Amino acid sequence: MSEKWIFNDIEKILVSEDRIKERVCELAAAIKSDYKDRDILMVGILNGAVCFYVDLIKELDLYLEMNFMRVSSYGVGTSTTGEIRIMYDLEVPLTGKDVLIVEDIIDSGVTMLNLKKLLLNRGAASVKSCVLLDKPSRRVVDVDADYVGFKIPDEFVVGYGLDYAGKYRNLKFIGTLKPEIYMND
Ligand code: IMP
Ligand code: MG
């Protein structure tokens, strides 16, 4: 009834809570079989990857290390590859480590491409990526994720870590917002 009820803002659900849970287990199984004899450094990208990261590591019975980064993308703008700014950095050396970047979504690809380059330059033995969502039609640079939860169309989505104006990250599903939510800004 309340006007401020969060579900009132949702237009449609794109990926349900059950489907997310199922897919997280499938991704964990693939990662486990690929990394079975190796230790992984799981690099979570704040804030968007938090829900996905926490659920994923709980399904991974491997020796793994947790660390986080927060980056912001300058977008593509003037240069062809864009750039990223590091707002919060890793606390561990990467030399010789097998790194798995865990990110909420790969959109233009600018963030992922630059992150991969950066972590390889710091001496990681390997850098792979696992993303919950992929919008392939939006790509402007040549990069793909190694593990993808769901490919989605070019629609702005929120929930399960993804935000609009800092909100909606706590939803258990992935959905789109009603158009009036954007118009009120
Ligand atoms: P990229 O560098 O363009 O691939 O941007 C990836 C970042 O853009 C993600 O980490 C998200 O923070 C943000 N982003 C892209 N699409 C969406 C969306 O549909 N909802 C929420 N955030 C998004
Ligand atoms: Mg993000």
Side-chain angles (χ1 to χ4, degrees):
M1 289 302 285
S2 153
E3 272 181 40
K4 280 188 77 74
W5 194 43
I6 189 170
F7 295 123
N8 283 342
D9 298 355
I10 301 302
E11 184 177 59
K12 66 170 187 288
I13 294 178
L14 229 70
V15 190
S16 70
E17 182 185 356
D18 284 351
R19 193 64 197 103
I20 294 173
K21 281 186 181 157
E22 204 173 64
R23 191 70 188 124
V24 166
C25 291
E26 289 168 3
L27 291 172
I31 293 167
K32 253 158 51 179
S33 85
D34 293 350
Y35 285 86
K36 54 181 173 294
D37 300 317
R38 291 185 282 162
D39 300 352
I40 320 182
L41 173 64
M42 306 270 298
V43 173
I45 309 304
L46 301 170
N47 294 327
V50 162
C51 298
F52 180 43
Y53 187 99
V54 168
D55 287 346
L56 187 66
I57 58 158
K58 287 188 288 185
E59 298 300 329
L60 283 172
D61 47 349
L62 294 170
Y63 291 98
L64 63 82
E65 207 181 338
M66 293 169 58
N67 235 268
F68 297 91
M69 283 181 94
R70 191 217 276 263
V71 295
S72 90
S73 166
Y74 286 113
V76 231
T78 49
S79 77
T80 44
T81 52
E83 269 177 52
I84 51 167
R85 185 160 36 141
I86 300 172
M87 319 296 284
Y88 174 78
D89 208 345
L90 297 172
E91 294 169 333
V92 289
L94 298 185
T95 320
K97 294 206 173 142
D98 289 311
V99 172
L100 184 61
I101 299 170
V102 181
E103 175 59 312
D104 52 2
I105 187 166
I106 180 165
D107 187 38
S108 69
V110 169
T111 307
M112 188 56 78
L113 185 74
N114 285 284
L115 266 175
K116 281 190 147 177
K117 279 190 202 160
L118 179 77
L119 303 188
L120 280 169
N121 278 339
R122 287 186 185 178
S126 69
V127 179
K128 284 193 170 192
S129 59
C130 178
V131 299
L132 177 71
L133 303 173
D134 182 2
K135 286 185 192 168
S137 64
R138 296 260 306 166
R139 208 74 90 250
V140 297
V141 291
D142 186 19
V143 66
D144 274 314
D146 299 284
Y147 305 92
V148 173
F150 304 94
K151 285 195 175 23
I152 60 164
D154 181 12
E155 281 187 280
F156 193 83
V157 293
V158 295
Y160 198 66
L162 292 113
D163 74 306
Y164 171 64
K167 291 182 287 188
Y168 308 104
R169 294 191 196 274
N170 52 321
L171 293 170
K172 291 180 178 176
F173 53 83
I174 308 284
T176 57
L177 289 171
K178 291 178 181 165
E180 58 263 36
I181 304 297
Y182 306 107
M183 289 187 307
N184 288 342
D185 271 359

